[in-house]
Amino acid sequence: MYEHLKIATEGGVCTLTLNRPEVYNALNDTITYELQTALKEINKDDAVRVVVFTGAGKAFCSGQDLKEASSNDKKSFMESLHKRYNPIIRLMKGMPKPIICKLNGVAAGAGCSLALACDLIVAAEEAVLTEVFVNIGLVLDSGSSYFLPRLVGSAKAFELSTMGSRISGKEAFELGIVNRVVPAAELDEAVKKYTDYYANAPTKAIGLMKKMLNKSGSSTLDEMLEYEAYCQEIAGETHDYKEGVSAFMEKRKPDFKGN
């Protein structure tokens, strides 16, 4: 179905893999539109309760395919972002399911933005994050100007973006950019610990919490108190809430169904 993506779903876990390893999973027109379609389909699939986003081969994503971009001098940067990249970021942040970035290698430019747009990042020690835009005279895009200062603070974000610094997996963990860092050989197992949890968690409640946390950055306390009440009313009507209470009363582990 897809030319540059691989998608596999098993046990509630959907693994979405960028599949252009020969160019370090660089983003051309085709793969960006395929990503939009895939994210919409994953969002609609009730069998999916957690998503793992990764790259084939040695890299996660090296960013925009500059060879393709340089062959089309008439392409508008603004149009490309509006049509290709921004919809991907909005779909990722709007998806009511957790997205875990399995950061297996370099994430550069827009590839770094894709990693930062995930809800959790599990990185190999050998992985590298770099906001490489400045090296070709461009600015942050695809959400990096939003995500980066919220993770590391404005001063550090300025340094990392204006200097195009290369951040190792270990450094990214120390800065609070990634949730966990492990040797490359242990990456699959580290990701599996998260997917084992989320595939059996109350998915509706987690989706609501994702929306709440995304909203909190631009909201007042009073607005969030109201939104919490609104979301709690929705959560309280779910099967998983009733199951959670029953399991507590019966002193057993809850069997959440994700609805």
Side-chain angles (χ1 to χ4, degrees):
M1 180 179 178
Y2 297 105
E3 183 179 354
H4 297 312
L5 297 177
K6 291 192 295 185
I7 301 177
T9 300
E10 183 178 355
V13 182
C14 176
T15 301
L16 173 61
T17 306
L18 303 172
N19 191 31
R20 300 186 74 210
E22 70 283 359
V23 289
Y24 301 103
N25 301 314
L27 301 165
N28 62 4
D29 279 8
T30 301
I31 198 171
T32 53
Y33 288 120
E34 286 187 345
L35 266 174
Q36 292 179 39
T37 300
L39 288 166
K40 290 174 185 176
E41 290 300 314
I42 291 167
N43 191 27
K44 291 188 295 185
D45 189 349
D46 291 337
V48 175
R49 294 170 69 176
V50 57
V51 179
V52 175
F53 192 12
T54 192
K58 297 180 179 180
F60 173 69
C61 177
S62 59
Q64 168 64 36
D65 188 330
L66 293 179
K67 288 185 178 179
E68 180 185 82
S70 63
S71 68
N72 190 351
D73 295 334
K74 296 181 180 180
K75 180 176 289 187
S76 161
F77 287 96
M78 182 181 291
E79 181 181 4
S80 182
L81 287 169
H82 284 326
K83 290 186 175 181
R84 296 175 55 212
Y85 290 95
N86 293 353
I88 294 170
I89 303 302
R90 290 191 175 104
L91 285 165
M92 291 175 68
K93 297 311 291 182
M95 183 181 293
K97 305 173 185 184
I99 303 176
I100 299 169
C101 176
K102 177 182 167 184
L103 193 62
N104 55 310
V106 68
C112 184
S113 299
L114 288 179
L116 298 182
C118 294
D119 301 305
L120 291 169
I121 303 177
V122 183
E125 292 175 350
E126 300 83 350
V128 171
L129 288 154
T130 176
E131 298 285 11
V132 75
F133 300 97
V134 70
N135 291 350
I136 55 172
L138 291 179
V139 302
L140 302 173
D141 67 27
S142 306
S144 272
S145 67
Y146 178 88
F147 301 125
L148 195 60
R150 283 166 169 77
L151 289 166
V152 302
S154 59
K156 192 64 178 179
F158 181 85
E159 176 190 340
L160 296 179
S161 56
T162 60
M163 297 185 70
S165 308
R166 290 173 61 87
I167 313 266
S168 70
K170 286 185 177 180
E171 291 172 308
F173 177 75
E174 292 168 359
L175 287 169
I177 297 174
V178 309
N179 297 79
R180 191 171 177 198
V181 60
V182 296
E186 299 174 18
L187 186 59
D188 287 344
E189 185 58 32
V191 170
K192 188 175 184 297
K193 288 182 180 179
Y194 281 107
T195 58
D196 283 350
Y197 170 79
Y198 285 112
N200 295 284
T203 310
K204 294 290 186 182
I206 288 167
L208 288 167
M209 283 191 273
K210 179 173 174 174
K211 290 175 68 174
M212 291 161 65
L213 294 171
N214 288 339
K215 183 179 175 65
S216 69
S218 58
S219 301
T220 65
L221 172 59
D222 281 341
E223 287 170 338
M224 287 311 301
L225 288 171
E226 288 301 316
Y227 195 59
E228 285 175 353
Y230 168 76
C231 290
Q232 197 70 292
E233 187 71 14
I234 296 171
E237 294 297 319
T238 62
H239 167 276
D240 283 343
Y241 164 69
K242 297 176 179 64
E243 166 60 13
V245 172
S246 296
F248 177 81
M249 299 298 288
E250 296 166 13
K251 295 181 171 57
R252 60 175 174 83
K253 185 176 179 180
D255 181 19
F256 293 126
K257 300 298 185 184
N259 53 45

